[in-house]
Amino acid sequence: MHAPLTTPRQQYYQLMALVCEDLPTTAVDTLVRQGHEATAEQLRAVRQSRKTHLGWLIDLVRVGLPDFVIPAELLPVVPVRRPAPLFH
């Protein structure tokens, strides 16, 4: 068993639960017009929970619900790269 919300899939579904009723369909069109890396069909699948892609859902929420504050525990964790010492 994972600790709460440790996988991107868990974070995706938690965020989707918070925004599913309010996320407008126009968010997909807006992202496509802005040149998003995903196609309109891929973004629609994310919005309809047929594809679990946390990063794209976050993009949809930021465009479709600009006043919504995404909780920090639902944002993906970016690993910090530390330079390895050359000599031990």
Side-chain angles (χ1 to χ4, degrees), residues 15 18-19 22 61-62 65-71 74:
L15 180 57
L18 295 174
V19 299
D22 299 323
V61 170
R62 287 184 175 154
L65 301 169
D67 295 330
F68 180 80
V69 178
I70 300 172
L74 300 181

Side-chain angles (χ1 to χ4, degrees), residues 50-81:
R50 291 185 290 128
K51 179 177 181 68
T52 57
H53 194 290
L54 180 60
W56 293 351
L57 177 59
I58 289 171
D59 294 342
L60 285 168
V61 170
R62 287 184 175 154
V63 167
L65 301 169
D67 295 330
F68 180 80
V69 178
I70 300 172
E73 65 269 9
L74 300 181
L75 295 172
V77 177
V78 179
V80 177
R81 297 187 130 204

Side-chain angles (χ1 to χ4, degrees), residues 3-5 11 20 34 41-43 47 50 71-72 74 87-88:
L5 304 176
Q11 293 170 321
C20 66
Q34 290 178 355
E41 186 59 36
Q42 289 172 320
L43 291 170
R47 188 182 170 280
R50 291 185 290 128
L74 300 181
F87 304 102
H88 294 286

